[in-house]
Amino acid sequence: MSFLSRAPAPAWPLAAPADDGPGNPWFSWRYVHDNADEILSALQFHVGLTARAVIIALIVALPLAVVSYWWRPLTGPILALSGILYTIPSLALLALLAPAVGTTTDTAVLIALVLYALLVLVRNSLAGLTQVPNEVRDAAAGMGYGRFGRLWHIELPLALPGILTGLRLATVSTVALVTVGSLIGRGGLGDMILGGFRNNFYKAEIMTGTILCVGLALVLDLLLAGVGRALTPWARERKS
């Protein structure tokens, strides 16, 4: 059946079951214990898909930011294109990708996540590069650095705070967007959340997936913040 073919909507009960109460708590350690393997598998998938999407997006975004920085007439078109990709609704984007990569593959979700992360990464990387002081660039040129040498040794290191800010934003938003993949069975922790609704509003499953998703976003954000502080000690000294 085609991804876009018309089919009856599945009957997903959204009302709580009749025995709602002590028998259907919002959180249950017993549920976590009995389903530990499935929960860990969903978490690993979520982390892996997030990491792949952000790394690929960063590899694509940095050259685009550099091109925009070097050739200013291209800045508008590059930002406009990444902005248009960002505005495409997630479900519509999955449908557009289906004919090329399949309807229920990790690749479809991965491509969508990369496209959504591009705008944040390109904008923040470009902002970091444009904030490098002119006198620093002039001094580097006076020391004999060419365009590429100046970029690698001077401009990119000084642009790191902006790049890392974009990386943090892209990572947190990607953690959230991975859950959209549950619509095609590739949503990691989102599969648990949606599965809880499908399973007669099973609150423990819904809440466990939600807590892990929020916790993952916080942990990754704090981790990247720590990496940023370690890589940019001059930024801390300037603030103090």
Side-chain angles (χ1 to χ4, degrees):
M1 179 181 293
S2 169
F3 183 79
L4 299 177
S5 62
R6 186 176 180 84
W12 298 345
L14 299 181
D19 60 345
D20 184 27
N24 185 24
W26 275 109
F27 186 79
S28 169
W29 284 114
R30 181 173 180 179
Y31 167 78
V32 174
H33 178 269
D34 293 345
N35 298 274
D37 291 340
E38 291 78 7
I39 294 172
L40 182 59
S41 177
L43 179 60
Q44 290 175 337
F45 180 87
H46 206 112
V47 172
L49 192 57
T50 298
R52 282 184 288 162
V54 172
I55 290 172
I56 294 173
L58 184 62
I59 292 172
V60 175
L62 275 180
L64 289 176
V66 171
V67 169
S68 300
Y69 175 61
W70 282 348
W71 293 284
R72 297 305 171 88
L74 296 178
T75 301
I78 289 175
L79 292 178
L81 177 59
S82 57
I84 291 172
L85 294 173
Y86 190 82
T87 60
I88 300 175
S90 54
L91 183 57
L93 184 56
L94 290 175
L96 290 173
L97 294 171
V101 299
T103 58
T104 58
T105 64
D106 297 354
T107 306
V109 182
L110 180 61
I111 293 174
L113 295 174
V114 170
L115 295 179
Y116 284 136
L118 279 180
L119 178 63
V120 174
L121 288 170
V122 171
R123 278 189 173 178
N124 282 274
S125 299
L126 179 59
L129 288 168
T130 55
Q131 288 173 3
V132 176
N134 289 328
E135 56 269 22
V136 173
R137 288 195 291 267
D138 294 339
M143 294 172 62
Y145 283 106
R147 170 173 281 188
F148 287 97
R150 188 167 65 246
L151 175 71
W152 182 254
H153 294 286
I154 306 297
E155 293 168 331
L156 281 178
L158 291 178
L160 266 180
I163 295 172
L164 289 170
T165 297
L167 187 61
R168 290 175 62 186
L169 292 172
T171 300
V172 171
S173 63
T174 300
V175 170
L177 287 169
V178 169
T179 59
V180 177
S182 61
L183 296 171
I184 58 173
R186 294 294 188 272
L189 297 171
D191 292 341
M192 292 177 55
I193 298 172
L194 186 59
F197 285 103
R198 289 176 174 175
N199 192 19
N200 204 20
F201 205 87
Y202 191 6
K203 293 179 179 178
E205 186 175 10
I206 297 170
M207 185 57 67
T208 301
T210 302
I211 291 174
L212 287 175
C213 189
V214 173
L216 177 61
L218 290 174
V219 168
L220 292 178
D221 186 54
L222 290 174
L223 180 62
L224 289 172
V227 171
R229 287 177 62 85
L231 293 178
T232 57
W234 65 86
R236 298 199 306 272
E237 294 174 0
R238 186 167 52 195
K239 289 180 181 179
S240 60

